[in-house]
Amino acid sequence: MNTPAGDPAATAPATGTTRVKRGMADMLKGGVIMDVVTPEQAVIAEEAGAVAVMALERVPADIRRDGGVARMSDPDMVDGIIDAVSIPVMAKVRIGHFVEAQVIQSLGVDYVDESEVLTPADEAHHIDKWQFDVPFVCGATGIGEALRRLGEGAAMIRSKGEAGTGNVVEATRHMRSIAGSIRRLSTMDTAELYAAAKEFRAPVDLVREVAETGRLPVVLFTAGGIATPADAAMMMQLGADGVFVGSGIFKSGNPEERARAIVEATTNYDDPSVIAKVSRGLGEAMVGINLDDLDASERYASRGW
Amino acid sequence: MSDPATSLPATRPRHAAWVPGGRLDGVATPVNLPDDAPLVGVLALQGDVHEHEVVLNRVGARVRRVRRAEHLDGLDGIVVPGGESTTIGKMLRRFDLLDDLAARLAGGLPALGTCAGMILLSRELDQDFDQPLLGVLGVRTRRNAFGRQVDSFDTSLDVAGIDGGPVDVSFIRAPVVVEVLDDDVEVLAAVDLGPVVVRQRNLLATSFHPEVTGDDRLHAGWVATLGS
């Protein structure tokens, strides 16, 4: 650890603080984080302008197709991805699987995603994320879930969406739900906030903080079903700070072009002429799944407690 | 393209705190700024744009988001924020802003670069990364010099010219200057690994993020030099 040279007045450096965990997420804002399963895909993502890559064993569309238990990525693969790119590397672990998180932290991964896309390892508990120096991002379908994750130490929130479907409707629902609940909270008086905390099953201190500031105290990204530049821009206009793209890139006809187009649409989310330009000639988007065709047991968004 | 607003609204009703595009302006300190307050651009391609805007407003500057070359007209200074330097660099090139901005900086437009901003201002990187740079600041910089995210840290350190004791700062996957290339580069603060605050004529760069800590002195000192 480096200390300020010759400066007795300065305080000792502190790692793993809430400020550097949440601050790291601030630096990702306005950017696109892409799911990758190999170092080669990570290089394509970096070239396209991704702000970070997410290492996982299989992209969600393949997890849906193949079934079975989905787990954290092989450490060799994570090392390979870390060596292949200069941008931050994130990795997914199973909900509640704190040992997978310990392993991923020891590999030098920059952010851990405790993700419903993998098969949950604990049906009642999420990871106690305060025990880690590495920051965590967690999924949420609404404000209560977001605040419960923050209470457990998450430093970044993403909507869950319905990963691996190429269908953005669930992500839309979650973003609108979170935004709508924040607007509701900010009109409540102090007594109503206690009832709201009960309704949302969320820590009352966090409920009060959201009501007072009119925002989540951390960065909010969107994930789940983003397949096109217009999907990404819509999520940004709905209030997302940035976008996770999973199967949408490497399950499409032209990953390089699509990755780049989604990055450019995210930067220029409020400029339809740019979104139109980057949407031209991208080839086939991933086929997509209508959510009515999914059984309840196949819905990832309902995982997490 | 929405109008690049020159400053946050003086007052913002609480119910409107959630605004489109992830710009969660609810925590911005409402300020009334006169029309002759310095107008500072914040390069808004990616990164912690909003954090800089809030601090700049607090220290008396009007703010404009810069995403196109025409947004550079009439600025008294520009902030190159924290973020991913590879992403911001690629966006600068793809949206034809790289050469225009570099020319303005070479022509004397004052700039403050933090973290990724320091990297982008630098003339050289000491790593073999293929990434576009503005290349105007006479230093060689090393990315992620302190390690990975688990090595990111909060600290306080003395910065030459900033009164009132050490400045409270966050180093997040931070770069460091490994070599000063020009005689007129001043080192205003350093750690064991090398310089972390440097100034060369109109350019000021920090390895760390003064914008996320609430210690506004570095921004205040910089804004006070603008337009003079």
Side-chain angles (χ1 to χ4, degrees):
Chain A
M1 183 41 56
N2 289 273
T3 52
D7 182 9
T11 53
T15 56
T17 63
T18 298
R19 198 165 84 192
V20 297
K21 288 175 173 177
R22 293 183 179 182
M24 165 83 206
D26 284 331
M27 304 312 148
L28 302 171
K29 288 199 289 191
V32 180
I33 299 168
M34 301 182 190
D35 278 1
V36 298
V37 300
T38 64
E40 294 72 28
Q41 290 185 350
V43 169
I44 290 171
E46 182 174 41
E47 291 286 310
V51 290
V53 291
M54 172 73 72
L56 73 171
E57 188 187 35
R58 290 172 283 166
V59 295
D62 287 340
I63 295 172
R64 285 190 188 283
R65 190 195 61 203
D66 300 342
V69 176
R71 311 179 176 89
M72 75 169 182
S73 193
D74 184 312
D76 275 345
M77 195 58 85
V78 175
D79 284 346
I81 289 168
I82 286 175
D83 290 342
V85 295
S86 69
I87 56 178
V89 175
M90 301 183 164
K92 285 190 192 292
V93 303
R94 285 179 265 177
I95 288 174
H97 205 314
F98 51 88
V99 174
E100 282 192 349
Q102 291 163 3
V103 170
I104 291 293
Q105 173 171 270
S106 78
L107 297 175
V109 163
D110 297 295
Y111 237 99
V112 177
D113 184 358
E114 186 181 16
S115 177
E116 70 283 357
V117 170
L118 306 186
T119 310
D122 189 320
E123 292 184 330
H125 310 94
H126 284 250
I127 297 170
D128 177 4
K129 293 164 275 285
W130 296 112
Q131 304 303 319
F132 291 79
D133 279 345
V134 68
F136 281 72
V137 55
C138 289
T141 57
I143 189 76
E145 202 171 355
L147 297 182
R148 287 197 294 281
R149 298 294 87 81
L150 293 184
E152 297 155 2
M156 177 178 180
I157 296 292
R158 56 171 174 76
S159 70
K160 282 182 170 173
E162 195 57 47
T165 62
N167 188 337
V168 82
V169 65
E170 282 292 292
T172 304
R173 192 197 323 273
H174 303 158
M175 290 303 296
R176 285 199 181 276
S177 168
I178 292 170
S181 296
I182 289 174
R183 277 191 291 270
R184 242 180 81 208
L185 284 174
S186 58
T187 63
M188 289 183 182
D189 72 19
T190 51
E192 289 170 325
L193 289 176
Y194 293 102
K198 194 166 73 177
E199 176 198 333
F200 291 135
R201 297 190 294 129
V204 69
D205 290 348
L206 287 173
V207 170
R208 203 181 287 125
E209 182 178 351
V210 169
E212 283 171 4
T213 62
R215 48 163 285 172
L216 286 179
V218 299
V219 165
L220 173 66
F221 268 49
T222 295
I226 315 291
T228 69
D231 287 348
M234 177 181 172
M235 291 301 124
M236 295 296 285
Q237 291 197 27
L238 282 174
D241 289 314
V243 177
F244 285 88
V245 186
S247 319
I249 289 173
F250 291 102
K251 286 290 160 192
S252 74
N254 187 342
E256 289 88 351
E257 285 296 308
R258 186 164 293 269
R260 189 179 146 136
I262 290 177
V263 168
E264 291 176 14
T266 302
T267 302
N268 295 282
Y269 63 88
D270 57 356
D271 189 339
S273 65
V274 172
I275 299 165
K277 189 175 133 209
V278 303
S279 299
R280 291 174 197 275
L282 285 182
E284 277 185 45
M286 66 182 290
V287 174
I289 300 173
N290 285 318
L291 297 181
D292 294 340
D293 298 340
L294 287 179
D295 285 344
S297 65
E298 295 175 311
R299 291 183 177 241
Y300 298 158
S302 59
R303 295 171 172 176
W305 0 99
Chain B
M1 185 74 219
S2 62
D3 179 44
T6 53
S7 69
L8 301 174
T11 58
R12 180 181 291 278
R14 290 184 76 193
H15 63 267
W18 184 279
V19 297
R23 310 308 174 194
L24 311 178
D25 292 349
V27 292
T29 307
V31 281
N32 286 303
L33 293 167
D35 289 344
D36 61 351
L39 176 59
V40 175
V42 180
L43 187 64
L45 298 173
Q46 190 272 319
D48 69 335
V49 174
H50 175 72
E51 283 65 25
H52 276 287
E53 290 175 335
V54 172
V55 180
L56 288 165
N57 276 175
R58 257 195 324 244
V59 302
R62 296 176 297 143
V63 176
R64 175 197 292 165
R65 291 186 178 174
V66 173
R67 276 192 278 177
R68 298 283 181 278
E70 60 265 30
H71 301 159
L72 294 167
D73 293 337
L75 294 180
D76 295 306
I78 186 162
V79 168
V80 185
E84 260 316 300
S85 61
T86 51
T87 303
I88 299 173
K90 287 172 204 289
M91 293 298 129
L92 279 169
R93 191 151 66 187
R94 285 183 205 167
F95 293 101
D96 296 323
L97 201 52
L98 189 70
D99 294 342
D100 280 314
L101 179 53
R104 302 253 187 173
L105 298 173
L109 177 66
L112 167 63
T114 66
C115 194
M118 172 189 260
I119 296 164
L120 288 159
L121 291 174
S122 304
R123 191 180 305 152
E124 296 178 13
L125 282 185
D126 87 326
Q127 294 131 310
D128 185 23
F129 296 140
D130 174 29
Q131 67 180 95
L133 299 175
L134 292 161
V136 290
L137 179 66
V139 297
R140 178 180 299 132
T141 306
R142 177 177 300 155
R143 289 179 52 198
N144 303 334
F146 297 86
R148 303 196 66 85
Q149 169 60 15
V150 288
D151 305 306
S152 293
F153 60 99
D154 289 325
T155 191
S156 59
L157 78 175
D158 283 319
V159 178
I162 304 287
D163 297 330
V167 180
D168 182 19
V169 295
S170 284
F171 286 75
I172 299 173
R173 284 174 51 95
V176 77
V177 170
V178 291
E179 189 179 347
V180 171
L181 303 172
D182 293 339
D183 291 340
D184 59 348
V185 173
E186 305 165 76
V187 175
L188 304 182
V191 298
D192 294 348
L193 283 183
V196 294
V197 183
V198 293
R199 182 171 59 202
Q200 184 179 26
R201 300 188 299 272
N202 55 317
L203 308 172
L204 177 64
T206 70
S207 296
F208 49 76
H209 295 282
E211 73 275 15
V212 302
T213 62
D215 187 335
D216 295 346
R217 286 176 290 164
L218 209 135
H219 281 81
W222 179 70
V223 166
T225 67
L226 302 179
S228 59

